[in-house]
Amino acid sequence: LQRSMSAKQATKVYFCRHAQSTFNSSGDNSPDVPLSSAGEAQARQLSGHFSLVLCSPMRRAQLTLRLSEITYDRLETVQELREQLNEGSDLLPGEGYEKLGESDASLASRVSQVRNRLLQELADNKSQADFRILVVSHLFTGYALFQACGVRSPDLRNAKIVPLPGLH
């Protein structure tokens, strides 16, 4: 963060898409795919300190965080941050393929809950100038979250932390 920015102008919420998964690298469509070797290396390059990290329950998001140099005061696994259920790789172990085909409306509803949670966390911690949140999730969930915040999504590359503006 630039030191010249006031606390009110400073970015408070960031988004990180998980590092490259075996689905991304080779089309592995098995449930809850892991990171590829390249993804593990990408994850190790991530760093920063956050007051709160909200992370998808999917293995690729959890591993991205675990292998990174990211530190945090508090970590929560948030079911609503899992990827839109379109591929076998988006299923958790034990879930059946009948869950696939999640509608955009269903994803938007989940993401709206996350947006409301982010707004509540920001309100509850507004007196802390250095309070920062990191959301670790997935491509389509990320696009939907940026849309829910009323801002255009940047290119959500694997293992890149980007500001999530639009939360006031």
Side-chain angles (χ1 to χ4, degrees):
L1 298 176
Q2 296 176 358
R3 293 189 187 281
S4 61
M5 297 175 93
S6 73
K8 212 167 201 168
Q9 294 171 313
T11 300
K12 297 283 189 174
V13 182
Y14 296 83
F15 180 87
C16 180
R17 179 183 174 198
H18 62 78
Q20 183 187 68
S21 70
T22 56
F23 176 81
N24 300 138
S25 66
S26 65
D28 176 5
N29 206 17
S30 58
D32 203 16
V33 295
L35 296 180
S36 66
S37 296
E40 290 178 5
Q42 289 172 344
R44 288 185 182 97
Q45 299 301 309
L46 292 170
S47 64
H49 181 78
F50 297 88
S51 307
L52 172 63
V53 174
L54 301 179
C55 189
S56 162
M58 306 302 297
R59 179 168 45 167
R60 55 197 180 266
Q62 296 280 326
L63 283 172
T64 296
L65 186 58
R66 192 172 324 134
L67 294 172
S68 76
E69 296 294 322
I70 293 170
T71 59
Y72 46 84
D73 298 326
R74 190 167 39 125
L75 168 65
E76 291 185 33
T77 299
V78 178
Q79 295 297 320
E80 291 81 11
L81 285 172
R82 66 185 294 181
E83 182 60 295
Q84 186 173 17
L85 294 165
N86 289 324
E87 303 284 346
S89 61
D90 301 329
L91 296 170
L92 289 168
E95 290 181 328
Y97 284 84
E98 70 278 356
K99 287 191 79 165
L100 296 181
E102 182 180 16
S103 69
D104 290 344
S106 173
L107 176 62
S109 176
R110 284 196 287 120
V111 166
S112 177
Q113 293 175 49
V114 173
R115 180 185 174 276
N116 291 341
R117 169 71 188 282
L118 292 169
L119 289 169
Q120 187 62 55
E121 289 289 346
L122 291 172
D124 291 348
N125 294 282
K126 65 184 171 189
S127 64
Q128 297 180 42
D130 60 348
F131 186 81
R132 298 186 332 146
I133 303 170
L134 176 64
V135 175
V136 182
S137 190
H138 309 270
L139 183 64
F140 292 110
T141 306
Y143 287 153
L145 183 57
F146 276 84
Q147 183 176 13
C149 293
V151 294
R152 186 170 178 225
S153 175
D155 182 12
L156 298 178
R157 296 184 186 273
N158 291 114
K160 181 178 177 187
I161 296 173
V162 296
L164 177 58
L167 293 165
H168 307 293

